[in-house]
Amino acid sequence: MGLCFPCPAEAAPPSPDLEEKRAKLAEAAERRQKEAASRGILNVQSVEEKRKKKEKIEKETAASGPPPEGGLRWTVS
């Protein structure tokens, strides 16, 4: 018949160091996040460039301040 438990003379294999385990888990999480972010996107690089360009435009708009008075007006009669 088969044995369910290892022989008592055999030592259990050493478990990985806690720091190594944490590093591997963090690495795997980053990899999963990257894969999830690029899911359904054919050209990831172009999407990143568009995102950076959009952020740059938003920063420039925020730095320029509020629009001057005398812009468009809405009148109701």
Side-chain angles (χ1 to χ4, degrees), residues 60-77:
E60 290 174 357
T61 304
S64 67
E69 293 294 323
L72 298 175
R73 290 188 184 184
W74 183 268
T75 56
V76 178
S77 37

Side-chain angles (χ1 to χ4, degrees), residues 4-70:
C4 295
F5 302 103
C7 294
E10 293 179 17
S15 61
D17 186 27
L18 191 57
E19 291 298 321
E20 290 177 22
K21 189 174 182 180
R22 286 182 182 160
K24 286 182 182 180
L25 288 172
E27 204 174 286
E30 288 176 13
R31 188 173 51 247
R32 283 193 305 273
Q33 286 178 344
K34 252 185 173 178
E35 289 172 0
S38 65
R39 186 171 293 141
I41 300 173
L42 297 177
N43 191 351
V44 177
Q45 197 171 27
S46 68
V47 173
E48 282 293 319
E49 290 172 4
K50 287 179 185 178
R51 184 185 58 81
K52 287 179 183 178
K53 185 176 180 181
K54 184 178 178 182
E55 287 177 358
K56 183 180 174 185
I57 291 171
E58 288 176 357
K59 284 181 183 178
E60 290 174 357
T61 304
S64 67
E69 293 294 323

